[in-house]
Amino acid sequence: MNNMVNVNPQNLQQVLGETSQQKLVLLSFFSAQSSECQSQAAILQTIAKDYGDYILVATLDCDLEQALAAQLAQQVGLQTLPTLVLLKDSAPVDVLAGAQAEAQIREALSKHLPQPHEMLLEQAKQALIAQDLNQAFNFAKQAYELDNTNARIKLVLADICIQIHKLDDAQALLGSVDEIDRDAYFTNIQAKCEQALQAQESPELKALQAKVEKYPNDFELKVELSAAYDQAGKKEQALELLFIVLKKDLNFADAKVSYLAIIASLPDGDSLAAKYRRKLYSILY
């Protein structure tokens, strides 16, 4: 984990000075001889993982670095172990003396860190930049669940929904953005959504739909139309067509493979994926 470090005379200035200018530093006065220190160290490891981009857990082993510990203890008025000092911009902003429960540490952090929905939004943006659409969707969805009035969260989530072809969701999100928040980013996302919607009504797609209506028992046409629906982002229509085929012939061509591939392309926890997994199980077992 790259946001945990042991403090020593060589890295002291880097950790407590430069790093605290960029993120919140949790300086933990620790002794292996104390069971309370050991318990709190386990809590700090969990917290470090959860707040990866926002904090650095810096552990000062008071047994190994006695001179340094004595120097810093005098500066912060250390009286007991464990003690946790929160530093920001090279200065202490909070001191938690004695053993702390996880909830107490998180409450102290909340005063000096972005709100949970803001952190999730930032994680969604970073995942989007990395083209990890599944992670981006999950982070943005969690942020939206925490604050469904935040225009920036709505727009980032709408942007992701367009890219994973959840256009109905994208439209709903865009429609809920207040006029005062409809800035250049909104205009850009709205244009992307309109372009994606137009692609769903292509002449080629309409021609395939007409053929399937004319020849309703032609499974090959249904599979072909399903692929076109999938390409246009109409995931549910694609799955429903394939399900119709599979109900009649479970082993028809690559219908089952295509069906499972579409489900796999949906984000983790997506209700549509769950719905069509259940439908497939209903005819498998």
Side-chain angles (χ1 to χ4, degrees), residues 133 137 141 157-174 193 196-197 200 232-236 265-273:
L133 297 179
F137 176 80
K141 188 169 180 287
L157 182 54
D159 191 1
I160 297 165
C161 284
I162 292 166
Q163 296 191 52
I164 61 175
H165 303 301
K166 293 174 72 71
L167 299 183
D168 289 343
D169 290 351
Q171 281 184 293
L173 287 162
L174 289 168
C193 188
L197 287 167
Q200 288 189 339
K234 294 189 172 187
K235 302 286 186 177
E236 184 161 15
S265 73
L266 295 166
D268 292 342
D270 190 278
S271 59
L272 189 63

Side-chain angles (χ1 to χ4, degrees), residues 5-128:
V5 65
N6 291 319
V7 178
N8 55 52
Q10 290 72 42
N11 66 6
L12 178 67
Q13 183 57 43
Q14 171 71 36
V15 172
L16 304 190
E18 295 175 27
T19 302
S20 73
Q21 303 285 335
Q22 301 161 4
K23 58 177 67 177
L24 189 65
V25 173
L26 280 66
L27 174 61
S28 173
F29 286 85
F30 170 88
S31 170
Q33 300 176 52
S34 165
S35 59
E36 290 183 331
C37 282
Q38 292 179 351
S39 297
Q40 186 159 289
I43 293 172
L44 291 175
Q45 188 168 12
T46 298
I47 287 175
K49 182 179 180 181
D50 291 347
Y51 295 88
D53 294 331
Y54 299 93
I55 69 171
L56 173 72
V57 174
T59 300
L60 176 58
D61 190 321
C62 298
D63 300 325
L64 294 178
E65 303 287 353
Q66 293 183 15
L68 182 58
Q71 174 192 336
L72 294 178
Q74 188 174 12
Q75 292 178 17
V76 301
L78 180 73
Q79 295 182 341
T80 185
L81 291 176
T83 287
L84 193 61
V85 181
L86 279 61
L87 298 110
K88 197 171 187 179
D89 297 327
S90 303
V93 293
D94 208 345
V95 178
L96 306 177
Q100 305 290 315
E102 184 173 338
Q104 291 173 299
I105 299 174
R106 289 183 185 273
E107 183 180 357
L109 290 175
S110 70
K111 301 172 185 176
H112 307 287
L113 291 175
Q115 292 300 303
H117 67 271
E118 294 172 331
M119 289 191 282
L120 285 164
L121 178 60
E122 184 58 34
Q123 288 174 298
K125 289 178 180 177
Q126 293 305 315
L128 190 56

Side-chain angles (χ1 to χ4, degrees), residues 174-211:
L174 289 168
S176 69
V177 175
D178 292 336
E179 288 288 341
I180 194 170
D181 295 315
R182 298 191 174 190
D183 55 9
Y185 184 41
F186 171 87
T187 303
N188 176 263
I189 301 303
Q190 187 178 51
K192 286 168 69 175
C193 188
E194 289 172 355
Q195 185 178 17
L197 287 167
Q198 288 171 6
Q200 288 189 339
E201 304 302 328
S202 68
E204 294 80 9
L205 191 61
K206 289 182 177 179
L208 267 175
Q209 288 171 328
K211 284 184 180 179

